């Protein structure tokens, strides 16, 4: 690889890392405007793997806004991020895409005061847009949960 391609790869990885971190912060902070802005216009979210809903990201954001009131304290820890790029036109082209697989641990406190924690894996699909990297989709696969 040339230095230009190496630098572009690093910059894309940092931008995608910011996107995934922004996702966690938006959910944890109940910032549903920021959550919606992370997605492309046709973006989708699928929380059925954790007992939730699936659909257009804007509609899912409404569901999250209502549901997350049951969990006033939440903290997503998203780790082991594995990024696979699909860049048919190369790094300089605007049509790049990437898949991100990442594990998560999510401790939460319910309005009742009870604590529980769950964990699993996210599958994110991202694409480069004129406004930077955005999510085309997020799929949650919860693998475990338990009271704390």
């Amino acid at each position: 690889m040339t230095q230009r391609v190496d630098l572009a790869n690093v910059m894309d990885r940092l931008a995608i890392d910011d996107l995934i971190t922004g996702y966690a912060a938006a959910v944890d902070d109940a910032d549903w405007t920021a959550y919606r802005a992370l997605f492309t216009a046709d973006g989708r979210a699928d929380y059925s793997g954790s007992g939730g809903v699936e659909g257009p990201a804007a509609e899912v954001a409404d569901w999250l806004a209502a549901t997350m009131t049951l969990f006033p304290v939440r903290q997503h820890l998203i780790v082991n991020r594995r990024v696979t790029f699909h860049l048919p036109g190369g790094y300089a082209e605007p049509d790049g895409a990437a898949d991100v697989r990442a594990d998560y641990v999510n401790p939460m406190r319910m309005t009742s005061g009870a604590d529980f924690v769950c964990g699993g894996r996210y599958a994110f699909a991202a694409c480069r847009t004129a406004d930077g990297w955005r999510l085309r989709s997020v799929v949650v696969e919860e693998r475990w949960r338990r009271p704390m």
Side-chain angles (χ1 to χ4, degrees):
M1 285 194 174
T2 67
Q3 285 182 333
R4 182 179 298 163
V5 171
D6 287 343
L7 179 59
N9 186 322
V10 169
M11 297 303 291
D12 281 336
R13 286 181 183 278
L14 289 172
I16 289 169
D17 191 65
D18 282 349
L19 181 67
I20 303 307
T21 299
Y23 167 86
V27 173
D28 290 345
D29 296 343
D31 187 345
W32 308 118
T33 300
Y35 178 91
R36 288 178 182 89
L38 296 169
F39 287 86
T40 59
D42 62 345
R44 298 187 66 79
D46 182 353
Y47 293 88
S48 61
S50 62
V53 300
E54 185 276 331
E59 292 176 18
V60 172
D62 294 337
W63 173 80
L64 284 168
T67 303
M68 290 296 115
T69 60
L70 300 172
F71 309 97
V73 178
R74 347 178 243 288
Q75 183 179 29
H76 282 77
L77 306 170
I78 302 178
V79 299
N80 300 333
R81 300 172 194 201
R82 292 166 307 283
V83 179
T84 304
F85 287 106
H86 309 283
L87 301 165
Y91 283 99
E93 297 297 321
D95 58 352
D99 292 323
V100 181
R101 299 289 181 262
D103 298 325
Y104 72 88
V105 175
N106 183 202
M108 294 187 272
R109 173 161 292 151
M110 301 176 72
T111 52
S112 67
D115 293 332
F116 81 95
V117 62
C118 60
R121 181 161 292 157
Y122 283 113
F124 296 99
C127 66
R128 187 180 8 233
T129 72
D131 297 320
W133 285 90
R134 295 292 182 266
L135 295 173
R136 276 198 178 127
S137 68
V138 59
V139 177
V140 178
E141 179 190 345
E142 184 177 272
R143 294 188 171 181
W144 59 272
R145 73 170 58 182
R146 65 175 174 80
M148 291 176 66

